[in-house]
């Protein structure tokens, strides 16, 4: 569905100390494919407008969408969405948008998801889609984040791991609870954690631009075909 339309904030909760999950009621929302995003438009009293894209983490019922917004302290829009926007407020929404960075539950290939920070948001919609479709296609998530308290959807991911439905490998860049020394993902580590080439996985890689581009280059170096690697860049 194209065109701007009003949406109402019906729930909001802090996902981490610096990220907030918003649930929006979007009339005429239509079908949302796992991995799609919406555009949000804010209009100030003087008519100034700002538009930003946010991935759908979950599409609930006929008219609800959830997203999670990471605060960029010097950003224009994200601090407002986290600190000021209240339940009951209205904003404008366009979408759902995107036909490339999606995953359909009928796809038979094993899926390797790779997230940097808030890049986990659209990947979570794929994980949730897989759960609701009850397909047993193998799914793995490699999730790079600063520290455990920055992890989105921790309880839900933990539950899926404990039932054996999903494998999640965390890479902590600043402080780590596990034996691994904190630090950025390396190519060797990526190679050891992702689904092996011979199993012909499909990749969905999302996060800050530099992270996504580095991971995509490494995957190509490791011999994964370009047409199996789909990426989405959040900026930065
Ligand atoms: C398709 C798509 C989906 C997205 N989904 C999400 C989502 O689900 N959750 C979410 O939190 N964000 C998401 N983003 C990013 C979002 O659209 C905004 O860019 C982000 O919220 C920053 O907006 P801002 O107005 O606060 O910062 P701005 O005022 O636009 O930028 C402030 C500064 O931060 C830098 N910057 C902008 N974006 C990033 C970033 N992602 N990482 C690091 N530095 C950055 C800019 O270069 C600039 O220097 C998505 C982006 C795209 C393109």
């Amino acid at each position: 569905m194209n065109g701007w339309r009003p949406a109402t904030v019906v729930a909001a909760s802090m996902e981490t100390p610096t990220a907030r999950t918003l649930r929006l009621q979007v009339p005429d929302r239509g079908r949302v494919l796992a991995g799609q995003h919406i555009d949000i438009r804010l209009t100030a009293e003087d008519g100034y407008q700002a538009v930003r894209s946010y991935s759908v983490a979950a599409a609930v019922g006929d008219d609800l969408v959830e997203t999670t917004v990471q605060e960029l302290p010097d950003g224009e829009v994200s601090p407002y969405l986290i600190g000021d926007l209240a339940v009951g407020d209205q904003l404008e929404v366009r979408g759902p948008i995107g036909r490339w960075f999606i995953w359909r539950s009928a796809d038979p290939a094993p899926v390797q998801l790779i997230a940097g920070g808030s890049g986990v948001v659209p990947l979570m919609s794929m994980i949730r889609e897989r759960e609701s479709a009850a397909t047993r296609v193998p799914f793995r998530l490699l999730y790079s984040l600063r520290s455990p308290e920055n992890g989105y959807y921790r309880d839900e991911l933990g539950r899926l791991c404990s039932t054996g439905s999903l494998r999640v490998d965390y890479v902590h860049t600043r402080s780590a609870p596990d034996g691994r020394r904190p630090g950025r993902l390396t190519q060797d580590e990526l190679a050891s954690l992702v689904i092996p080439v011979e199993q012909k996985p499909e990749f969905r890689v999302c996060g800050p631009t530099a992270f996504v581009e580095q991971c995509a280059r490494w995957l190509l170096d490791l011999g994964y075909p370009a047409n199996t690697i789909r990426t989405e860049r959040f900026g930065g």
Side-chain angles (χ1 to χ4, degrees):
M1 173 119 191
N2 291 316
W4 292 105
R5 51 212 192 280
T8 308
V9 183
V10 293
S13 60
M14 293 307 288
E15 189 69 43
T16 74
T18 56
R20 191 183 192 202
T21 293
L22 303 174
R23 178 176 275 203
L24 307 176
Q25 186 173 39
V26 182
D28 304 321
R29 185 204 66 193
R31 179 151 182 246
V32 181
L33 302 174
Q36 288 187 307
H37 67 274
I38 52 170
D39 286 342
I40 290 181
R41 181 162 75 180
L42 303 174
T43 305
E45 279 175 14
D46 65 1
Y48 173 76
Q49 292 188 320
V51 177
R52 296 289 185 279
S53 301
Y54 291 96
S55 299
V56 176
V60 184
D62 293 333
D63 62 354
L64 300 173
V65 293
E66 281 184 12
T67 186
T68 304
V69 180
Q70 180 65 43
E71 180 166 16
L72 298 184
D74 61 342
E76 184 179 41
V77 169
S78 59
Y80 173 82
L81 295 178
I82 289 168
D84 297 289
L85 189 73
V87 172
D89 283 357
Q90 283 213 332
L91 33 72
E92 287 178 291
V93 161
R94 181 172 64 185
I97 299 167
R99 293 266 151 190
W100 171 249
F101 194 76
I102 57 168
W103 177 77
R104 294 174 193 272
S105 56
D107 293 350
V111 178
Q112 178 69 57
L113 308 170
I114 304 179
S118 56
V120 74
V121 177
L123 308 186
M124 195 64 201
S125 79
M126 299 177 193
I127 291 168
R128 287 170 168 159
E129 169 77 13
R130 172 178 177 265
E131 285 304 302
S132 69
T135 154
R136 291 296 98 199
V137 168
F139 253 52
R140 280 197 209 172
L141 169 64
L142 172 55
Y143 186 5
S144 168
L145 68 170
R146 288 185 177 185
S147 57
E149 57 273 19
N150 294 115
Y152 292 12
Y153 321 123
R154 280 199 288 177
D155 292 349
E156 194 174 341
L157 290 174
R159 266 197 309 278
L160 294 172
C161 288
S162 65
T163 61
S165 172
L166 178 72
R167 172 172 149 179
V168 182
D169 294 295
Y170 290 97
V171 171
H172 297 102
T173 59
R174 298 273 173 89
S175 68
D178 43 36
R180 179 186 177 275
R181 269 175 51 169
R184 290 192 171 180
L185 181 69
T186 64
Q187 184 171 17
D188 286 348
E189 217 171 2
L190 178 98
S192 71
L193 293 174
V194 296
I195 299 174
V197 175
E198 54 278 11
Q199 292 179 28
K200 298 187 167 47
E202 280 277 329
F203 289 89
R204 298 291 182 274
V205 188
C206 186
T209 302
F211 174 85
V212 170
E213 290 180 353
Q214 179 71 272
C215 289
R217 271 196 299 274
W218 285 340
L219 292 171
L220 290 171
D221 278 0
L222 292 167
Y224 293 93
N227 64 2
T228 63
I229 306 167
R230 296 193 191 191
T231 59
E232 182 140 278
R233 297 159 178 76
F234 275 7

